[in-house]
Amino acid sequence: MKIKSARNSLASDHNRTAYLFLTPWLIGFFCLTLGPMMASLYFSLTKYNLLNSPSWIGLGNYVKILSDDETFRNSLFLTFKYVLFSVPLKLIFALIVAMILNKGLRGLGIYRTVYYLPSLLGGSIAIAIVWRQIFAGDGVVNDFLGWFGIKGPSWISHPDYVIYTIIMLTIWQFGSAMVIFLAGLKQVPTELYEASSIDGAGKGRQFFNITLPLLTPVIFFNLVMGIINSFQAFTPAFVIGDGRGGPLDATMFYTLYLYLKGFSFFDMGYASALAWIMLLIIGFLTAIVFTTQKYWVFYSDDQGGK
């Protein structure tokens, strides 16, 4: 009994120590994450302009958004278009660069750092401003096209082209996915390539039969993170579109519309409802990816397809 009591006392001391170290995270979670989320949920059911006390209207904001808000539908379509193009292209580009760096280049750490830098800088306002200057009517891109006698448009001022400049900026920020792909490639056993070479498999067959299947867990992770992050894209659209979604709402991303509703038009209740709809959309898409993983994600213990 004394031994059991001593063990319980030791376990209790360990628990208290663990909770002590967890206290900063717990405070941050409840005060900076869960608390604001619950407040946002309440505000989404009210009419609240930040100046007066919120007045309860129930599902009024949601009904208006889903039935009578053309800008909501346009911004949602634009955001889906951005996610549909940017996420796959970013993953493909990151995988290509990772495979090049996996060839045993000298100074791999330097190359890895250089390619990772855009992921750290790409979301900044300064880079978005530089990107805007590059694709302006008199920017570097059109100067380059001028050498070949091509007169390029003002990419950021044309509603048909501006979205693709933002997508290119996103693809340029491939560093995080590239580093994860590179780590995954390091885990692929070289014996598999050697055995397949003996059997006469070429590089293409090795990629599709060995590399790609063994990388599916990494692809799955990068895909989920890419979808979540792309739906939250804000800074490039805000800077390139002058903070108003221009030209002609061609950069009115969902997050920008939410921001304008909350902090330009002071309709915080409406903006909170938009935020919760976005949360449900991201959650739904993430759930779909998780549900389908059993059909295309393969783990080393062969449990991915079971």
Side-chain angles (χ1 to χ4, degrees):
M1 293 295 295
K2 291 183 179 180
I3 296 177
K4 184 176 181 181
S5 177
R7 287 178 177 175
N8 291 337
S9 177
L10 183 60
S12 178
D13 290 341
H14 286 170
N15 289 338
R16 282 195 292 268
T17 302
Y19 281 117
L20 178 63
F21 282 102
L22 284 172
T23 298
W25 182 87
L26 292 172
I27 293 175
F29 174 72
F30 285 106
C31 297
L32 302 178
T33 303
L34 186 60
M37 282 183 64
M38 294 299 101
S40 173
L41 180 59
Y42 167 72
F43 290 142
S44 72
L45 303 173
T46 66
K47 185 175 181 60
Y48 181 41
N49 62 5
L50 295 177
L51 302 176
N52 302 318
S53 299
S55 57
W56 184 267
I57 59 173
L59 298 176
N61 287 324
Y62 294 95
V63 172
K64 184 177 180 181
I65 290 171
L66 298 175
S67 64
D68 192 34
D69 192 340
E70 187 67 26
T71 305
F72 160 76
R73 289 189 285 270
N74 291 338
S75 65
L76 188 59
F77 173 78
L78 181 65
T79 304
F80 267 106
K81 181 179 179 180
Y82 167 76
V83 173
L84 183 64
F85 280 94
S86 65
V87 173
L89 291 174
K90 184 176 181 180
L91 294 186
I92 292 171
F93 198 72
L95 179 57
I96 292 173
V97 175
M99 293 184 66
I100 294 173
L101 295 182
N102 194 45
K103 298 297 183 181
L105 299 176
R106 288 186 177 181
L108 176 61
I110 297 176
Y111 286 111
R112 188 165 48 197
T113 301
V114 169
Y115 284 121
Y116 185 71
L117 279 177
S119 292
L120 299 176
L121 303 175
S124 67
I125 294 177
I127 295 299
I129 293 175
V130 171
W131 206 260
R132 177 174 177 169
Q133 296 302 318
I134 290 174
F135 285 94
D138 55 353
V140 175
V141 173
N142 282 346
D143 286 344
F144 175 76
L145 293 176
W147 295 347
F148 303 94
I150 302 174
K151 181 176 176 57
S154 179
W155 304 94
I156 62 171
S157 300
H158 198 292
D160 293 335
Y161 303 138
V162 64
I163 179 64
Y164 298 107
T165 65
I166 299 177
I167 290 173
M168 290 178 64
L169 175 57
T170 302
I171 297 172
W172 180 64
Q173 303 169 41
F174 64 89
S176 296
M178 180 268 297
V179 170
I180 297 173
F181 275 131
L182 187 58
L185 288 169
K186 295 294 184 182
Q187 302 302 315
V188 179
T190 56
E191 295 83 0
L192 296 178
Y193 294 114
E194 294 171 356
S196 63
S197 296
I198 295 175
D199 291 338
K203 295 296 184 181
R205 188 174 177 183
Q206 288 179 347
F207 173 76
F208 287 104
N209 291 348
I210 299 175
T211 306
L212 203 58
L214 292 179
L215 279 182
T216 49
V218 179
I219 296 172
F220 169 72
F221 175 80
N222 280 333
L223 177 62
V224 171
M225 297 305 298
I227 291 173
I228 294 174
N229 293 331
S230 294
F231 267 100
Q232 300 178 69
F234 173 79
T235 303
F238 181 83
V239 174
I240 294 176
D242 287 326
R244 298 187 298 271
L248 301 176
D249 286 347
T251 59
M252 185 63 78
F253 281 22
Y254 195 101
T255 50
L256 179 58
Y257 181 51
L258 188 158
Y259 169 83
L260 292 176
K261 274 293 185 180
F263 297 99
S264 293
F265 303 113
F266 299 104
D267 196 347
M268 189 57 67
Y270 201 87
S272 298
L274 287 171
W276 275 93
I277 291 175
M278 182 174 70
L279 175 64
L280 293 175
I281 292 173
I282 294 176
F284 177 73
L285 293 177
T286 303
I288 291 177
V289 176
F290 268 89
T291 302
T292 60
Q293 70 163 320
K294 60 184 179 182
Y295 300 109
W296 62 276
V297 179
F298 306 98
Y299 298 97
S300 58
D301 56 1
D302 293 329
Q303 294 179 358
K306 296 182 179 179

